[in-house]
Amino acid sequence: MPLMDFFAAMFGFFLFVAWFWVLITVLSDIFRHREMSGGTKAVWVLFVIVIPWLGILIYILVNGAGMADRRLRT
C-alpha cells in the first residue's frame, strides 16, 4: 500500500501545480483585459482569491473566448 500512497501524493501534487498554473493564467488575463474597468478587475481578483475554484471556473466560462487573443496581443 505504500506505493499507492506515493502515487496519490504525486497526483495531489500534480493537481496543486495545475491549479496554481490556471490561477496565474487567469490573474494575468484579468490584468491584461483592456476593456475591463479597474473596479471590475478588483472584483474579479477578489472573487478568484476568496472562492478560487468557483471564481476561476466562472471567469473562464465568461471571458474564456478572448483569453487566447489577449495573450497573443501582448
Side-chain angles (χ1 to χ4, degrees):
M1 209 52 158
L3 185 62
M4 286 304 289
D5 292 338
F6 173 75
F7 285 138
M10 287 295 105
F11 184 68
F13 181 73
F14 169 76
L15 286 179
F16 176 73
V17 169
W19 172 79
F20 198 70
W21 186 338
V22 171
L23 176 69
I24 297 298
T25 303
V26 166
L27 286 175
S28 67
D29 186 67
I30 289 172
F31 290 111
R32 197 179 288 141
H33 203 295
R34 294 183 189 263
E35 293 84 25
M36 198 182 296
S37 70
T40 308
K41 288 179 184 182
V43 169
W44 272 115
V45 168
L46 189 65
F47 191 53
V48 165
I49 299 235
V50 171
I51 310 171
W53 290 103
L54 186 63
I56 288 173
L57 178 66
I58 290 175
Y59 183 83
I60 290 175
L61 289 174
V62 171
N63 296 314
M67 286 178 72
D69 295 332
R70 284 187 290 277
R71 184 184 302 166
L72 290 175
R73 239 187 343 202
T74 4

